[in-house]
Amino acid sequence: MVQAARWLRLPPEHPFNLAALPYGSYTAASHANVCRVGVAVGDHVLDLTTATSRLLPARAHLFQSGSLDDFLAAGDLAWAQVRDSLTSWLSDDQYRPAIEDLLVPAAAVRLRLPFTVADFVDFYTSENHAANAGRMFRPGAAPLPANWKHLPVGYHGRAGSVVVSGTAVRRPCGQSRPPGADVPTFGPSTRLDFEAELGFVVGAHSELGEPVPVSRFAEHVFGVCLVNDWSARDIQSFETVPLGPFLGKSFGTTISSWVLPLAALEHARLRPPSADARLQGYLTETANWGLDIDLEIRLNGSVISRPPYATMYWSPAQMLAHLTVNGAAVRTGDLYASGTVSGPEPGQRGSLLELGWNGTEPVSLPDGTSRSWLQDGDEVTITATAPGPDGVRIGLGSAAGTILPAVREVPAGRS
Ligand code: CA
């Protein structure tokens, strides 16, 4: 592993060590609150917008807007060049005079949505999660739907509702049908949940009509972030038949402030679990894009689950191949998420639905309370780490959000 310059005082065990170098967007009072692109370096944020104008002027235009959008669109050669440059600047003492004044304490910046979210897709690629849902909602039937091992199941979600970590999420109102009732009622969701997921951020676009093969995943996908797909289970269960998730999911989706480039995950790559069914050729995983990433979920500060991403059945390269096999194009800023990450053990489940087994086994918290579903004021924080070089671990930051009470006064239509 490349050693950080000594003047940085950056211990290798810090999750934002030199092997991580995730990108984000921020404002700081010290920068007149002008939006900049930043890189997390230990407990500081490096002003990459200014650093490139000083040290890499040929790429500086990619960071002028303060968002990652132009950098994402620039493609894999630009991604590699900027990462190589950052590594040099932060490891070689000769660059200290040029960058030392560009390191801002992380506590002094406000992190923003790092890129403009184009399309949002959510998959369903954890076998444990899908089987748990099947056992709860289709008892006596096969836990997995007939299609599940033949293709990565997914749906198109709502990009405009994606918010950055730290944004409060309001409890949605909607229609749901209480158990045993014939007709639905309207009101605040009483079964509000989280889903801990990994998100994949598309950089370089593809052309309409041209599928993206598994082998070209890393040319199009720039990196990963953490995702909380907030879910109102009562609204979801009444509306989903027959067209799938709608208002029970679209009221808010939280992503982490930092996007970790795929280049940081070389040591986390692994072969996904063997396919049990004979796959169509376009889904053959040839490049081993399974990922050994350990997630952790906290509810009001207490760890309630540790889902292992390594157990996911479909890889993100297979997801992208499936997403585009009909000729659908991907665009810069597209975000597609893995679906809830759940491991085989009870303490590895990625949603309250599973941790509390649909309300029948409430989750106990250290303060003596328990949860079947989220309460107003609850804070959910998802964090994750992955193996880096030489035994270090690298961080993905966090995706956090607090539940606000519902707005009960929904305007009635005039008759
Ligand atoms: Ca989901």
Side-chain angles (χ1 to χ4, degrees), residues 120 122-124 129 155 195-197 227-231 233 249 337-340:
F120 173 49
D122 198 13
F123 282 97
Y124 190 57
H129 173 67
Y155 70 96
E195 292 189 338
E197 310 191 9
V227 175
N228 183 345
D229 175 28
W230 303 96
S231 300
R233 301 297 181 198
K249 297 279 192 176
S338 61
T340 307

Side-chain angles (χ1 to χ4, degrees), residues 20 88 110 144 150 162 193 196 201 254 259 288 317 330 337 343 349 354 373 379 391 414:
S88 297
R110 178 160 175 253
L144 295 175
H150 294 278
V162 176
D193 199 358
V201 180
T254 300
V259 181
N288 294 342
V330 289
R349 295 169 180 165
E354 296 163 272
W373 310 105
E379 183 188 45
R414 291 177 187 273

